Amino acid sequence: MKKFLPIIIIAVIVLGLYSWGKGFNNTAVNLKETATKTWANVESSYQRRNDLIGNLVKTVQGAADFEKGTLQAVIEARAKATSINIDPTNITPEQLAKFNEVQGGLSGALKSLLVTVERYPDLKANQNFLELQSQLEGTENRINVARDRFNEAVEPYNKHIKTFPNSLLAGILNFDELSYFKSEAGSEKAPDVNFDFK
């Protein structure tokens, strides 16, 4: 019996290591899939906004005397925003920063468009425009909620792969840290609102 003791000890150690590795891997895969799905929901919310902007642009184009430069800025910003794609299984801070930059440009162009519309009473009272404006506001809220949920999904995954001894396996099995969605640079400052329409 004594000669089998080292084999039994080695077998128990190997079985324990296998069980730990399997548990780590399966948990990491599940958590990463949750984060990836949540990122898809963020992109879906942005896609909804892009689709609504197309309808908004068509509605506004029908208004006579509308500033074409403002409208063109929205169209160009929308084109840039739809050209950026992120691989949800390998989200880097650089990818998120670029994505955030183009989406911020679109948000700024859209705000400028909505402020300009204030000078056009006929357009402002147009039922299609009012409905689109309301849907855009709701979509912006959805985007904020989706980004928050993405960050909530990333947190347990990052904690799982960074805690010891899991961090040892994370490097071996290529489980890299996912980046959190961060606000645009300068968004911590209160916006300067000017109602001088002279």
Side-chain angles (χ1 to χ4, degrees), residues 123-190:
L123 179 58
K124 209 166 67 169
N126 179 305
Q127 191 59 41
N128 287 342
F129 177 79
L130 293 173
E131 176 64 25
L132 285 167
Q133 189 176 16
S134 173
Q135 286 188 32
L136 276 170
E137 288 169 3
T139 299
E140 292 298 324
N141 288 335
R142 286 182 189 187
I143 289 170
N144 286 333
V145 168
R147 289 188 300 211
D148 288 345
R149 287 184 180 157
F150 170 71
N151 284 345
E152 288 170 7
V154 166
E155 182 184 17
Y157 168 77
N158 283 348
K159 282 182 178 177
H160 181 69
I161 65 165
K162 288 166 121 181
T163 54
F164 185 80
N166 292 350
S167 57
L168 299 173
L169 278 181
I172 296 169
L173 299 175
N174 289 326
F175 284 105
D176 297 324
E177 180 180 358
L178 294 176
S179 297
Y180 289 98
F181 197 98
K182 295 180 179 148
S183 62
E184 297 172 56
S187 63
E188 70 281 358
K189 297 175 188 159

